[in-house]
């Protein structure tokens, strides 16, 4: 009995406060030999799209925040993480084209920008055409359609939308005139977009008025002041972006006289109002050689790639090795993954038929991947606004959409 | 428009009119990255109608608040994108100007060099 009591006294000892705190903060993942983060094959699945010969793998991202919770990895992204990791690199920027990289953005948002650039950014385009005289062989409606597609150099932010009930005035309409004639005896002539004349004072066509000749004749627009008195248009007149667009052809004795009104609209309604020629993005390519390519194999690899992604590197003693020199240019043609069909081994064909047939000896040794969060954006503008302005406006429009949803919910 | 239940406000479907994949997919991405969300998805009932149904199910918080937070976060992400983009463009333009100035100076220097050589030969 006494010995048992002694043992109990030895076991009972004071647990200090530090030990209590340690026990509370203990995390299994902090132990020294437990690997942190995801295992490399899962990290590959999470961050890269692997492009095989047949189809890409792991293309759908795991965006669910608890996807890797059992490995202790938090997949949730909040604003701080995003702000720290987001980067933009401008590769090239001219008045009409722009190429830039966006790193660290989810693909859904990059796609939202692309869709807005194509369909929801406003621009000005000819909508109503008042035809006075058209004796050419191009029908009125075809001519009107063609006029609508001509891109105009006019900043849509300076104009308002024109709805059904509004009067066309200098704040929402741009008026152009086209009056061309091909005299009898002359050869056939072309009508180019440079012949569209801007009328800053509004329409010159008179409307038929009900009152007598005492009332002032009204035109189809009611401009209260001339558009070239605005400071924005004083130095840069409104005109088509390109002067050499062919509108119509006139034979001898034919004439076109019309007036065209341009209004503001968005690409969703009609593609003529899309301010970009096109806008697209692609994911950043990653090309990895899974084994060393030396000598003859290296030369074959360099020859096969149509975009010249690979290069030969001389290592002393006459040995050559292939390296990935320009992974950015890779267009995912998968030539380096294909089993050869004897076409490239053309020299071998001339030497002997036996060598010409058969597969390449180095199939499946190149890994083509795409980085999921890195996008190479290209924007080609039609001339009304420079591409960086277009992108900024597109981001603003997405912000406005979010705001309208929030205000609808509150 | 929110379709939910009065008793349990952690599950709801939001119908947005005049929206399409542009906003819905972007919001879905941000929504799913919130740890309070168990289901964040959207459907388009018919492509001819401009309408989107966004389904939000959370671990207890009211679905409306979580959805509003997601929209708010998307707005802030956009603002950040805009500021970083503007900075990158101004830096690029400044860099281009610097390069052009250097090239123009170089050209000027070479012209002067040739000019002075002509005088010497005379």
């Amino acid at each position: 009995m006494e010995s048992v009591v002694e043992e109990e006294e030895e076991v009972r000892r004071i647990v200090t406060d530090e030990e209590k705190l340690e026990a509370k903060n203990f995390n299994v993942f902090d132990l020294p030999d437990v690997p942190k983060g995801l295992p490399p094959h899962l990290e590959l699945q999470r961050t890269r799209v692997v492009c095989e010969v047949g189809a890409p793998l792991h293309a759908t991202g795991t965006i669910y925040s608890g996807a890797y919770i059992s490995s202790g990895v938090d997949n949730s992204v909040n604003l701080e993480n995003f702000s720290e990791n987001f980067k933009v690199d401008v590769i090239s920027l001219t008045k009409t084209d722009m190429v830039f990289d966006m790193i660290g953005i989810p693909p859904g948002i990059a796609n939202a920008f692309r869709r807005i650039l194509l369909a929801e950014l406003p621009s000005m385009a000819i909508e109503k055409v008042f035809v006075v005289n058209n004796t050419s062989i191009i029908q009125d409606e075809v001519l009107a359609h063609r006029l609508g597609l001509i891109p105009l150099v006019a900043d849509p932010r300076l104009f308002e939308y024109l709805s059904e009930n509004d009067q066309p005035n200098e704040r929402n309409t741009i008026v152009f005139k086209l009056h061309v004639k091909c005299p009898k005896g002359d050869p056939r002539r072309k009508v180019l977009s440079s012949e569209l004349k801007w009328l800053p004072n509004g329409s010159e066509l008179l409307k038929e008025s009900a009152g007598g000749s005492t009332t002032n004749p009204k035109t189809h627009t009611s401009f209260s002041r001339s558009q070239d008195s605005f400071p924005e248009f004083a130095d840069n007149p409104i005109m088509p972006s390109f002067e050499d667009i062919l509108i119509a052809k006139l034979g001898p004795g034919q004439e076109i006289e019309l007036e065209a009104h341009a209004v503001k609209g968005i690409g969703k309604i009609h593609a003529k109002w899309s301010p970009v020629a096109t806008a697209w993005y692609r994911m950043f390519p990653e090309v990895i050689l899974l084994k060393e390519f030396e000598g003859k194999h290296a030369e074959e690899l360099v020859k096969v790639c149509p975009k010249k992604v690979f290069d030969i590197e001389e290592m002393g003693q006459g040995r050559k090795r292939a390296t990935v020199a320009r992974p950015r240019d890779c267009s995912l043609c998968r030539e380096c993954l294909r089993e050869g069909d004897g076409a490239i081994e053309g020299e071998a064909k001339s030497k002997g038929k036996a060598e010409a047939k058969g597969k390449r000896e180095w199939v499946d040794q190149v890994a083509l991947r795409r980085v999921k969060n890195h996008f190479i954006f290209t924007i080609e503008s039609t001339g009304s606004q420079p591409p960086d302005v277009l992108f900024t406006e597109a981001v603003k429009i997405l912000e406005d959409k979010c705001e309208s949803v929030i205000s609808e919910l509150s | 428009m929110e379709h939910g239940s009065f008793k349990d406000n952690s599950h709801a479907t939001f119908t947005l009119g005049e929206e399409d994949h542009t906003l819905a997919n972007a919001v879905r991405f941000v929504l799913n990255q919130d740890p309070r969300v168990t289901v964040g998805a959207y459907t388009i009932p018919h492509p001819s109608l401009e309408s989107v149904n966004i389904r939000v199910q959370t671990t207890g918080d009211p679905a409306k608040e979580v959805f509003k937070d997601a929209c708010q976060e998307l707005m802030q992400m956009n603002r950040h994108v805009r500021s970083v983009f503007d900075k990158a463009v101004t830096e690029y333009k400044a860099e281009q100007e610097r390069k052009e100035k250097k090239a123009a100076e170089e050209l000027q220097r070479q012209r002067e060099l040739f000019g002075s050589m002509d005088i010497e030969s005379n």
Side-chain angles (χ1 to χ4, degrees):
Chain A
M1 276 278 284
E2 285 166 346
S3 57
V4 169
V5 169
E6 276 173 14
E7 280 169 25
E8 281 179 14
E9 278 179 19
E10 282 173 28
V11 162
R12 220 187 305 133
R13 59 185 178 84
I14 301 170
V15 178
T16 60
D17 278 336
E18 289 123 18
E19 283 173 346
K20 278 190 191 158
L21 196 67
E22 219 181 279
K24 191 169 131 190
N25 291 342
F26 182 70
N27 188 357
V28 138
F29 292 105
D30 286 341
L31 286 175
D33 52 354
V34 170
K36 273 202 179 342
L38 283 178
H41 65 285
L42 284 184
E43 188 68 23
L44 183 74
Q45 276 186 18
R46 188 176 79 95
T47 58
R48 302 279 191 274
V49 176
V50 177
C51 303
E52 308 249 311
V53 183
L57 298 176
H58 318 130
T60 53
T62 47
I63 56 170
Y64 175 51
S65 62
Y68 302 112
I69 209 77
S70 48
S71 315
V73 172
D74 188 7
N75 201 23
S76 73
V77 173
N78 50 20
L79 198 57
E80 287 102 50
N81 287 14
F82 175 75
S83 309
E84 275 169 47
N85 300 336
F86 180 65
K87 267 199 293 174
V88 170
D89 285 326
V90 179
I91 307 292
S92 80
L93 171 61
T94 67
K95 277 208 210 96
T96 50
D97 298 342
M98 176 171 194
V99 179
F100 65 98
D101 280 13
M102 284 215 286
I103 308 170
I105 194 170
I109 302 187
N111 195 32
F113 292 149
R114 183 192 65 93
R115 287 175 68 100
I116 294 179
L117 279 165
L118 287 174
E120 298 190 42
L121 273 184
S123 80
M124 308 295 293
I126 290 175
E127 166 87 345
K128 281 208 173 87
V129 175
F130 298 86
V131 182
V132 175
N133 189 7
N134 178 17
T135 46
S136 72
I137 53 166
I138 314 286
Q139 297 92 335
D140 287 351
E141 59 270 18
V142 175
L143 195 54
H145 180 244
R146 291 177 72 82
L147 286 170
L149 292 172
I150 297 174
L152 305 172
V153 177
D155 193 345
R157 294 173 289 180
L158 304 168
F159 291 91
E160 295 160 359
Y161 286 100
L162 172 67
S163 71
E164 285 290 314
N165 310 323
D166 288 344
Q167 274 282 44
N169 57 29
E170 73 277 7
R171 287 242 141 260
N172 53 32
T173 315
I174 304 175
V175 181
F176 288 96
K177 182 168 100 145
L178 182 65
H179 189 177
V180 282
K181 224 190 299 203
C182 183
K184 268 209 150 86
D186 276 13
R188 225 175 278 143
R189 68 164 274 187
K190 293 184 188 169
V191 178
L192 302 178
S193 58
S194 53
E195 314 209 31
L196 274 173
K197 299 267 172 305
W198 177 39
L199 301 177
N201 291 324
S203 167
E204 289 172 358
L205 292 182
L206 302 174
K207 252 198 223 179
E208 291 166 6
S209 58
S213 50
T214 49
T215 53
N216 271 342
K218 289 203 334 205
T219 62
H220 285 270
T221 61
S222 29
F223 276 38
S224 57
R225 54 186 275 209
S226 167
Q227 272 177 336
D228 59 10
S229 65
F230 288 128
E232 301 91 15
F233 301 132
D235 294 327
N236 25 342
I238 300 178
M239 48 183 225
S241 302
F242 302 96
E243 306 222 301
D244 50 357
I245 300 177
L246 178 64
I247 302 176
K249 285 192 186 179
L250 291 178
Q254 295 176 351
E255 184 182 351
I256 295 179
E257 186 180 351
L258 53 82
E259 200 175 84
H261 293 192
V263 295
K264 185 169 169 178
I266 57 175
K268 248 198 219 182
I269 310 295
H270 194 286
K272 69 189 178 192
W273 276 303
S274 182
V276 291
T278 188
W280 76 91
Y281 65 80
R282 60 189 181 106
M283 293 205 267
F284 190 79
E286 196 180 51
V287 182
I288 299 196
L289 298 175
L290 296 174
K291 79 159 181 87
E292 285 274 316
F293 278 76
E294 291 193 0
K296 188 174 72 125
H297 292 174
E299 281 174 25
E300 275 177 22
L301 184 65
V302 173
K303 223 190 318 180
V304 151
C305 180
K307 295 281 181 182
K308 306 203 181 350
V309 168
F310 303 103
D311 237 351
I312 299 267
E313 183 191 24
E314 307 276 343
M315 308 189 289
Q317 300 161 354
R319 284 182 353 182
K320 298 189 200 168
R321 195 171 63 147
T323 56
V324 180
R326 287 160 291 269
R328 212 189 156 85
D329 293 344
C330 176
S331 64
L332 205 55
C333 67
R334 293 185 175 96
E335 268 301 317
C336 46
L337 300 179
R338 255 183 258 284
E339 300 180 345
D341 51 6
I344 46 149
E345 281 97 15
E347 302 154 10
K349 240 189 195 162
S350 57
K351 285 185 195 154
K353 280 202 186 149
E355 279 174 288
K357 287 198 187 149
K359 304 176 189 174
R360 285 182 207 153
E361 293 141 17
W362 46 271
V363 179
D364 281 348
Q365 299 300 342
V366 182
L368 288 184
R369 299 188 194 140
R370 293 278 180 273
V371 183
K372 278 188 195 177
N373 271 1
H374 187 159
F375 297 99
I376 303 175
F377 248 92
T378 312
I379 302 179
E380 292 180 9
S381 153
T382 51
S384 60
Q385 292 159 280
D388 48 309
V389 169
L390 286 175
F391 187 73
T392 318
E393 293 294 310
V395 180
K396 269 195 222 161
I397 286 184
L398 189 58
E399 260 180 61
D400 289 341
K401 278 186 197 254
C402 292
E403 217 179 287
S404 77
V405 169
I406 292 178
S407 62
E408 208 183 295
L409 285 179
S410 316
Chain B
M1 201 197 315
E2 180 183 356
H3 309 281
S5 99
F6 289 117
K7 287 192 213 149
D8 178 12
N9 63 354
S10 70
H11 297 189
T13 303
F14 299 92
T15 307
L16 303 175
E18 293 191 23
E19 293 294 345
D20 56 358
H21 302 277
T22 309
L23 180 68
N25 200 22
V27 166
R28 181 183 73 99
F29 260 91
V30 180
L31 201 57
N32 270 340
Q33 285 166 347
D34 189 337
R36 299 174 288 176
V37 165
T38 54
V39 170
Y42 78 94
T43 62
I44 302 210
H46 194 278
S48 307
L49 306 167
E50 282 207 28
S51 161
V52 165
N53 291 347
I54 303 184
R55 177 81 185 161
V56 180
Q57 282 179 209
T58 69
T59 55
D61 287 12
K64 196 160 154 175
E65 297 304 317
V66 174
F67 186 52
K68 266 207 281 198
D69 285 345
C71 290
Q72 193 71 20
E73 209 167 295
L74 184 59
M75 254 175 75
Q76 289 177 340
M77 278 168 93
N78 279 334
R79 284 204 195 113
H80 182 75
V81 166
R82 235 196 316 155
S83 68
V84 173
F85 179 76
D86 285 338
K87 225 182 347 165
V89 167
T90 17
E91 265 178 33
Y92 180 82
K93 285 190 179 159
E95 181 69 37
Q96 290 299 97
E97 268 185 44
R98 240 179 293 148
K99 279 194 196 155
E100 273 175 28
K101 231 178 27 177
K102 235 172 64 170
E105 280 173 15
E106 184 68 35
L107 197 64
Q108 187 68 4
R109 223 160 18 92
Q110 283 186 4
R111 277 210 195 108
E112 284 171 8
L113 196 67
F114 288 139
S116 67
M117 276 161 57
D118 280 339
I119 292 172
E120 281 176 15
S121 67
N122 277 348

